[in-house]
Amino acid sequence: MFKIAICDDEDIFIQELKKHLNRYAAETDRDFCYFVYHDGSEFLKRYNAEYDLIFMDIRMERLNGLKTAEAIRQTDSSVGLIFLTSFREYVWKGYEYRAVNYMLKPVSYPVLQRELDRYFARYRNDKEPYLVFSNDSGRYKVLYKDICHAETYRRNVLLHFDGGRQVIYKNMKEVSGLLCQHPQFAQCHRSFIVNLSYIRSVEGLELLLTTGERIPVSQPKRKKFMQRLIEYMGDQL
C-alpha cells in the first residue's frame, strides 16, 4: 500500500487529482491510499511519518505550502514532495525544501503520469532505509545515511542527524542493535556510535567529524573500531 497525502484547499481539484491518481494506479498495477488535508496547519497536527508521497499546494490561506514543507523537513527528510501551484514564480522557492518537482494547476493526466513515472524510477527503485521514532517533541523519520552519530543522554540516546538532533527513548544497547546492523555504523565508545562516512580524521583517541564535532574513542574499543573503519573505507574505493 502506497500512502499519498494531498494538502490543498480546493475540493474540486482534490477530486480531479485523485481521479488521475486512480487511473495511474490501475494502469501500473499499484495500490494507493489517500489522506486529504485542506490546510497546512491541519496537516502538521495530524502528520504521519509513514507517508510515501505528498502533493502540496503552495498557496493556502492559514498556513501556506512552503511553511508547511519547511516544518515537515524538520522531522522527515525522505518523504517525496511534489508542489502544486498556479503561479510559476513560486516554483524555484519549492526546491529549497527538496521537492521532487512541481506541477502547474490545473494538472492534466499526461503531466501527472510523467511526474509519477519519474518519481518511481528515480526515488522508489532504491528506497533508502530510514528510522522512525517518537518522543515528546513529535514523530520523526530520519534516513540512516543522515544520522551522524548517537550518544548516551541520561537514560536514553541523543541522535545527531542532518537537520538537528532528537532524543530517542531507547538505551544505547537497543540503539546499537538498530544502527550497527547497517555497515556504515560502528561503536567507538560505550556511549557513542558513529556513522563512519562522517569521519574526517582519527586523532589518537578522538574522532574529528565532517560536521566539526569531536567524539571519543575508548581504548578498549579502539583496535576493533579501527579495523572496522579500515574495512569500511576499503569498501568505498
Side-chain angles (χ1 to χ4, degrees), residues 102-104 106-116:
Y102 74 95
M103 293 190 297
L104 288 173
V107 176
S108 67
Y109 179 71
V111 170
L112 177 69
Q113 181 183 42
R114 183 187 68 227
E115 291 306 321
L116 288 179

Side-chain angles (χ1 to χ4, degrees), residues 20-69:
H20 291 332
L21 287 168
N22 287 334
R23 176 179 171 183
Y24 184 86
E27 291 178 355
T28 58
D29 195 27
R30 289 187 167 91
D31 192 7
F32 292 164
C33 178
Y34 306 112
F35 301 83
V36 174
Y37 305 93
H38 295 91
D39 177 74
S41 57
E42 174 197 4
F43 185 34
L44 293 178
K45 287 178 183 177
R46 300 169 61 188
Y47 187 73
N48 186 334
E50 295 183 3
Y51 294 139
D52 296 293
L53 179 62
I54 299 170
F55 288 91
M56 177 74 68
D57 186 20
I58 288 182
R59 291 194 70 179
M60 293 180 287
E61 288 189 10
R62 293 179 58 193
L63 185 65
N64 69 45
L66 296 176
K67 290 292 185 182
T68 305

Side-chain angles (χ1 to χ4, degrees), residues 4 12 14-15 35 72-73 75 135 137 173 226 234:
I4 295 178
I12 294 177
I14 291 171
Q15 294 308 314
F35 301 83
I72 289 170
R73 284 303 184 218
T75 63
N135 60 27
S137 300
K173 183 177 180 180
M226 291 303 298

Side-chain angles (χ1 to χ4, degrees), residues 19-20 34 58 67 80 95 107 121 123 145 195 203 223 227 230:
K19 183 179 77 172
H20 291 332
Y34 306 112
I58 288 182
K67 290 292 185 182
Y95 288 113
V107 176
Y123 295 93
K145 71 174 185 179
N195 186 332
E203 301 173 3
K223 182 177 180 181
Q227 289 175 340
I230 292 169

